[in-house]
DNA sequence: AGCACGCCGACT
DNA sequence: GTCGGCGTGCTC
């Protein structure tokens, strides 16, 4: 932790700005900085203008982090310079900014442009965008400090004591505390001391209010000064290395000449350092069982020196991948050639690689990255969920070594900071990460690869609710970066754009192992019922599992629901156990005999008898992965089962553990949810069972057909990836659905043609943009009133612009999940049918952001999502 | 949001 | 006339 003292470079004490800030206009040419202040209120989320003081004219640049006085009290807070100008509105007074906070700007011009673009595209605040590009490792801590006034300090000791004696008790207390603390005390500290004195809770707001009033009086009485001070922190990990301060031959002489006495431990340390040039201090302590004190005393005797270096922790993956020599096939080579040959073209389009599962897309990406690297260009490799792709990470690390960095939102702020720093220093040249890795501060970014780009994880769920695909496209366009999207099952929207020449479409039709895709066998579950099979496994699937296990092969079973049963109810009265905080039925987890809400995490023990009617017909309904596991263990004696879902992989390392076990064949059946679909590659998997395609198909969302097709295709692709032929059993009640029909033959083109027609008819993406505004709050009445008033303001403004037809607005209506975490949720949905998207966005922005406090109550939350993933 | 200021009732 | 609690409005 580095602390920068609150003394400004012009020698001014922060807070003491009475004269300095409002100087008469002088000779130097004036410049002003427009800044965004770091404040999480949307009311302050606009550009503020500050005059750049003369002594900083040369230094302040666009993108600098600066310290500015803000508000009536001129509290110093962090701000970011967005642009610099010499033209400002007349008749306005501007404060001067205090100082810069870093030597160099943290944002480049292009970053500022990106922030503007994201803000406008997704209707979020500047600060939302800034926190994406700038890890929170830096912060400015502002605090008030109390000291004696100049008058008081000028008094000699006797007069001072007399003066203090004449004051009231509470004043004396404060003056004494200031003197005790070397004439400087933090307000916070003073409050604490006062609380101890009066034996009350320091968090009591009345105390601080009273104290503040008293302090203000004392300031008026010219007893004390109150001013702001600050500390600037950088969350950088540093490592301390220790070495001898002189050549090891000279040590003994130095010790005896200066008559230095050394303890045994200290001697050990010196002996050790004689033969080891430099060692990390903590290692030394461990190795020699030494204590910190012996080291500091050596330092005090000037025998050793510390060398503090930046620390960069490179996270190690636990999943081990064997190195293997890869030779690209014709199709792969073609893809690589196409992309690399155009890398320096000015007007290149983004690339979309549509390659079947197992077509070796990762190898293609690596070749592209390798080429870029040789041209001096850095690469970003996005994956949907970093924790699910240990295989990809280890492949990249194996090939490129230490220059590969990993970045995702689960890193600590410190770790994020380290990674960003290593990127700036050029230590990391290739970054693999989740969508947030897109904003890494590379010096010469040349390639962005987005793998499995159809995944919904590329759309952020929290502000800014950006889509990594869209941002990637924007960056590629603005900075001439090579953008490569890859998937076996492209999203319908992007594929439509590819068909319309927005992308270079590259198809890889053959699997890398030259084997055909595994055959998908369709099982009609309606028939199973007539045959008397009420279980979750059809006879066909049971036979296939048995055969695979007997042949010592592995099986993957896919079911898109975790837990044991999807709800618990009483057969007699129909009572359904549901979450106390949300409008959701509880999922049954048999292992702990609890019902759990998958939205807020609420849990309750499921009783044997119904709490409504008292009958004992309480039973879980539907199936989840937990029940599948139980059934498999019951039916197949030789099954060694692993389960992979959110319940079994929530802890760090558990996923690696499961994958490693399955890879080492400690288990032969892997049951899981959609996690399974993401790039797993096991050579002995010959059978994939999809237990219920209907569960996904019937999901109430316009993308559910697309998602179902993608999941079937992706999960099927896990089979037969090596020399052994694979097979897939697909169970469904809806055998005639076009999604199922197309998926059977891996007919993506056919599916796309079917689906795009539906999209066209109902005006869904890609033919339309959709904006969802959700108003939520603890009081349902308040939420309803608020969303109604929003609707009224909206229609009023639209009518003013001559729009009378409001068919493009859906709602206001309760959300599909009408309550989450005690918050009632109502929604307005907009499609840009008969209205220009920018006009619509402008009006929504005006109502929900600019005039928020007029339209909405402060007790409700407003969430705006442009082209949301789902509209629950 | 977070801060300063000003108003108003309670208490000396 | 002070003290202290709370509501209000602004932030370059």
């Amino acid at each position: 932790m580095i602390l920068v003292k609150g003394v400004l470079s012009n020698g001014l004490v922060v807070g003491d700005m009475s004269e300095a800030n409002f100087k008469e206009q002088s000779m130097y040419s004036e410049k002003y900085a427009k800044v965004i202040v770091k404040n999480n209120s949307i009311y302050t989320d606009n550009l503020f203008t500050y005059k750049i003081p003369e002594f900083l004219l040369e230094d302040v640049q666009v993108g600098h982090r600066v310290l500015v006085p803000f508000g009536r009290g001129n509290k110093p807070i962090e701000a970011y310079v967005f642009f610099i100008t010499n033209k400002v509105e007349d008749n306005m007074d501007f404060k001067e900014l205090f100082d810069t906070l870093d030597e160099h700007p943290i944002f480049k011009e292009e970053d500022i442009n990106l922030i503007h673009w994201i803000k406008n595209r997704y209707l979020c605040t500047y600060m939302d965008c800034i926190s994406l590009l700038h890890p929170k490792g830096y912060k400015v801590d502002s605090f008030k400090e109390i000291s004696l006034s100049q008058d008081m300090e000028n008094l000699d000791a006797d007069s001072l004591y007399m003066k203090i004696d004449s004051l009231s008790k509470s004043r004396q207390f404060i003056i004494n505390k200031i003197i005790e603390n070397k004439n400087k005390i933090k307000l916070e500290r003073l409050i604490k001391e006062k609380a101890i004195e009066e034996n009350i809770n320091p968090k009591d707001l009345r105390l601080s209010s009273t104290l503040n009033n008293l302090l203000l009086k004392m300031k008026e009485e010219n007893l004390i000064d109150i001013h702001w001070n600050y500390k600037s922190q950088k969350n950088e990990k540093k490592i301390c290395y220790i070495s001898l301060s002189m050549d090891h031959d000279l040590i003994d002489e130095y010790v005896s000449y200066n008559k230095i006495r050394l303890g045994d431990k200290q001697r050990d340390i010196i002996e050790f350092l004689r033969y080891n040039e430099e060692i990390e201090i903590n290692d030394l302590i461990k190795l020699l069982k030494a204590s910190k004190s012996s080291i500091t005393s050596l330092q005090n005797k000037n025998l050793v020196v510390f060398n503090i270096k930046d620390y960069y922790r490179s996270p190690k993956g636990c999943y081990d991948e064997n190195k293997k020599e890869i030779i690209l096939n014709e199709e792969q080579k073609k893809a690589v050639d196409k992309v690399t040959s155009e890398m320096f073209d000015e007007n290149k389009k983004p690339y979309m690689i549509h390659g079947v599962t197992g077509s070796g897309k990762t190898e293609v990406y690596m070749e592209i990255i390798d080429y870029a690297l040789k041209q001096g260009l850095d690469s970003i490799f996005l994956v949907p969920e970093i924790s699910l792709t240990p295989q990809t990470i280890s492949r990249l690390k194996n090939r490129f070594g230490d220059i590969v960095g990993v970045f995702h939102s689960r890193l600590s702020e410190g770790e994020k900071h380290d990674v960003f720093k290593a990127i700036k220093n050029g230590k990391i040249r290739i970054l693999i990460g989740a969508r947030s890795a897109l904003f890494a501060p590379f010096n010469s970014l040349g390639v962005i690869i987005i793998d499995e780009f159809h995944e919904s994880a590329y759309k952020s769920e929290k502000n800014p609710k950006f889509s990594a695909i869209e941002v990637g496209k924007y960056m590629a366009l603005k900075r001439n970066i090579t953008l490569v999207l890859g998937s076996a099952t492209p999203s319908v929207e992007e594929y439509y754009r590819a068909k319309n020449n927005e992308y270079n479409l590259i198809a890889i039709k053959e699997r890398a192992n030259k084997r055909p895709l595994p055959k998908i066998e369709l099982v009609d579950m309606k028939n199973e019922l007539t045959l008397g099979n009420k279980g979750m496994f059809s006879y066909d699937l049971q036979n296939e599992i048995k055969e695979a296990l007997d042949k010592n092969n592995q099986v993957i079973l896919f079911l898109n629901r975790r837990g044991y049963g999807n709800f618990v109810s009483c057969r007699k009265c129909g009572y359904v156990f549901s979450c106390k905080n949300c409008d959701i039925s509880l999922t049954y987890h048999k292992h702990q005999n609890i019902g759990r809400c998958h939205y807020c995490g609420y849990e309750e023990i499921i009783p044997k008898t119904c709490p409504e009617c008292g009958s004992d017909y309480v039973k879980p309904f539907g199936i989840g992965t937990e029940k599948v596991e139980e059934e498999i263990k019951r039916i197949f004696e030789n099954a060694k089962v692993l389960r992979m879902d959110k319940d079994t992989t929530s802890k760090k390392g558990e996923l690696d553990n499961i994958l490693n076990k399955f890879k080492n064949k400690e288990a032969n059946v892997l049951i899981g949810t959609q996690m399974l679909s993401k790039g797993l590659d096991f050579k002995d998997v010959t059978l994939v069972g999809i237990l219920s395609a209907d569960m996904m198909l019937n999901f109430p969302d316009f993308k559910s057909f697309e998602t179902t097709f993608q999941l079937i295709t992706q999960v099927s692709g896990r089979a037969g990836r090596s020399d052994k032929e694979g097979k897939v059993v697909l169970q469904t009640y809806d055998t005639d659905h076009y999604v199922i029909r197309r998926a059977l033959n891996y007919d993506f083109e056919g599916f796309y043609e079917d689906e795009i027609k539906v999209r066209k008819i109902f005006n869904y993406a890609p033919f339309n943009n959709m904006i969802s505004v959700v108003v939520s709050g603890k009081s349902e009445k308040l939420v309803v009133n608020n969303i109604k008033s929003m609707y009224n303001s909206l229609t009023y403004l639209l009518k003013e612009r001559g729009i009378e037809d409001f068919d493009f607005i859906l709602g206001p209506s309760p959300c599909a999940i009408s309550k989450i975490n005690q918050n009632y949720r109502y929604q307005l949905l907009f499609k840009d049918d008969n209205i220009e998207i920018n006009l619509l966005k402008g009006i929504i922005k005006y109502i929900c952001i600019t005039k928020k406090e007029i339209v909405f109550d402060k007790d409700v939350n407003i969430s705006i999502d442009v082209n949301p993933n789902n509209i629950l």
Side-chain angles (χ1 to χ4, degrees), chain A residues 395-426:
Chain A
R395 274 162 86 178
L396 255 92
K397 287 204 166 177
N398 274 342
R399 169 134 181 197
F400 298 106
D402 287 341
I403 58 165
V404 176
V406 179
F407 189 86
H408 52 89
S409 54
R410 275 197 236 173
L411 294 180
S412 71
E413 290 303 333
E415 287 169 319
K416 282 184 194 174
H417 184 105
D418 290 346
V419 174
F420 269 30
K421 189 155 184 200
I423 289 168
K424 279 187 180 163
N425 294 341

Side-chain angles (χ1 to χ4, degrees), chain A residues 523-533 539 732-733:
Chain A
V523 175
D524 188 342
M525 292 304 276
K526 293 193 295 279
N527 287 345
E528 295 294 314
L529 272 179
T530 39
L531 290 172
N533 181 5
Y539 294 125
T732 178
Y733 288 93

Side-chain angles (χ1 to χ4, degrees), chain A residues 130-262:
Chain A
I130 288 169
S131 5
L132 271 185
L133 297 245
H134 183 53
K136 295 176 194 65
Y138 300 84
K139 72 168 188 241
V140 170
D141 234 355
S142 291
F143 50 87
K144 274 188 172 174
E145 226 166 36
I146 327 287
S147 58
L148 292 186
S149 68
Q150 207 54 51
D151 287 3
M152 292 286 279
E153 283 210 62
N154 289 341
L155 296 176
D156 58 78
D158 287 345
S159 336
L160 184 63
Y161 282 121
M162 276 173 62
K163 179 90 187 169
I164 294 174
D165 252 5
S166 72
L167 297 172
S168 69
K169 272 264 147 52
S170 47
R171 284 176 170 76
Q172 284 186 16
F173 177 82
I174 289 166
I175 300 280
N176 285 332
K177 283 294 166 199
I178 297 172
I179 295 172
E180 271 174 38
N181 274 279
K182 298 176 189 162
N183 193 21
K184 219 191 233 173
I185 187 163
K186 282 189 193 179
L187 179 60
E188 225 177 297
R189 173 88 184 272
L190 197 60
I191 291 172
K192 253 186 219 160
E193 301 264 3
K194 186 84 182 169
I196 294 168
E197 176 86 3
E198 308 207 342
N199 205 8
I200 47 177
N201 185 356
K203 277 173 195 150
D204 195 329
L205 282 174
R206 274 173 302 169
L207 175 67
S208 83
S209 165
T210 311
L211 201 64
N212 265 315
N213 279 332
L214 179 61
L215 289 171
L216 262 138
K217 273 238 174 80
M218 290 175 70
K219 195 184 171 177
E220 268 167 40
E221 292 158 11
N222 226 344
L223 295 167
I224 54 164
D225 274 341
I226 308 171
H227 44 227
W228 283 98
N229 204 340
Y230 78 100
K231 247 188 241 163
S232 170
Q233 304 189 359
K234 293 186 185 179
N235 194 352
E236 287 174 358
K237 268 246 160 79
K238 297 276 176 176
I239 277 196
C240 188
Y241 289 92
I242 179 170
S243 55
L244 291 179
S245 62
M246 60 198 77
D247 205 273
H248 65 262
D249 303 335
L250 305 174
I251 279 278
D252 291 333
E253 202 178 318
Y254 182 85
V255 168
S256 54
Y257 182 79
N258 290 296
K259 302 199 172 90
I260 297 173
R261 272 200 275 157
L262 292 174

Side-chain angles (χ1 to χ4, degrees), chain A residues 30 34 74 79 83 97 177 231 249 256 265 313 324 387 429 502 545 603 610 623 657-658 791 814 835 871:
Chain A
E30 290 180 356
K34 300 250 180 190
N74 287 317
F83 64 97
L97 57 85
K177 283 294 166 199
K231 247 188 241 163
D249 303 335
S256 54
K265 268 283 158 320
R313 197 179 344 191
K324 48 189 172 188
S387 58
R429 305 286 312 280
E502 282 184 41
I545 295 174
E603 287 178 357
C610 173
I623 55 169
N657 192 14
I658 291 172
Y791 183 81
I835 184 168
I871 45 174

Side-chain angles (χ1 to χ4, degrees), chain A residues 675-686:
Chain A
M675 279 182 188
L676 288 174
S677 66
K678 294 169 192 176
L680 300 185
D681 191 354
F682 297 105
K683 64 179 176 34
D684 285 327
V685 173
T686 56

Side-chain angles (χ1 to χ4, degrees), chain A residues 97-115:
Chain A
L97 57 85
F98 284 138
D99 206 351
T100 52
L101 283 167
D102 313 281
E103 195 184 345
H104 300 290
I106 54 161
F107 295 134
K108 291 180 233 164
E109 198 87 43
E110 62 194 28
D111 296 325
I112 306 271
N113 293 337
L114 179 62
I115 289 170

